[in-house]
Amino acid sequence: AHEKQDPKETNYSALGTLVTVFFFWGFIAAGNSVFIPFCKHYFHLDQFQSQLIDFAFYTAYYVGALALFAYGAFGGKDLVGKWGFKKSIVYGLLFSALGAAAMIIAVNANTFAGMLVGLFIVALGFSLQQTAAQPFAIALGDPATGTSRVTLGGGINSFGTTIGPIVVAVALFGCSTARAMAADALPAPSTMSRPPSSGGRFGGTHSAGSAAAMAASNKRRRMSRGCARGLIGAANRGRLRSSSAA
C-alpha cells in the first residue's frame, strides 16, 4: 500500500511578497483613472489624446500575453516555464521599473509620447508577472488549497484597486490643487448687459442664471393670471346660464 504523503506546507514569506505584488497591480491599474486627468492638465491634451493612456496600458497586456503565447506555440517551450515562476515575476518587475523610469524622464521632459511608451513598458512587465503569479501561488503550498491562495491574491488586488485612485489623487494633485482644477473645469458664468438707464439692485449687469430665473418667474405669473381669468370667466358664464334658466 502506498503511504499517504503529508500535505506540503505553505511558504508564507513568499506568499506575502506575492500578495504585495498583487496589491500594486490593482493600485496602479486603478490609478489610471486619476492619472488621465493629471496628464490632460499637465500636457494640455484633448479628450481623445487623454484616452490614449488607457489604450496604451491595456494594449500592452494584450501584446504581452500574445507574445508569450506565440513564443510557447512556435518556439516549442513556454517562456515562463523556462525561467521559472519566481524569475519570471522578478524579470517582470524589473521591466516595469524600467518603464516607470522612462515615464518619469518623459514627464520631466514634457513629452507625452515618451510617457505613453513608458506606460506601455510598465504594463508589459505586468503581463509577464501576472502570467506567472497564479501558478506560482498554487505552487507555494498544498495544491489542494491553491485556489484559496489565488483568491487571497485577488482580494488584495481588489483592495489596491479601491484605494489606488485616492492615494494617487492626493500624490499628484494635493487637496488644494485638486480643488483648483475642479474649479477650472467649471464653465465661467456668462453675463448679460442691461441698459445703463435700467434701475434695480443688480446695477448694469446680471448673470445669465438670474435672467433665466426671472424669466421663469414671469412665466409662472402669466400662467397664474391666465388661470385666474379662465376661472372668473367660467364662473360668470355659469351665472348667466342660471339667470337665463330662471
Side-chain angles (χ1 to χ4, degrees), residues 123 166 233 237:
I166 300 172
R237 286 192 294 274

Side-chain angles (χ1 to χ4, degrees), residues 41 173-186:
H41 181 78
F173 300 133
C175 296
S176 59
T177 307
R179 284 196 296 269
M181 290 182 65
D184 291 342
L186 295 175

Side-chain angles (χ1 to χ4, degrees), residues 147-161:
T147 54
S148 64
R149 292 187 290 276
V150 173
T151 303
L152 174 64
I156 299 299
N157 178 269
S158 298
F159 177 65
T161 302

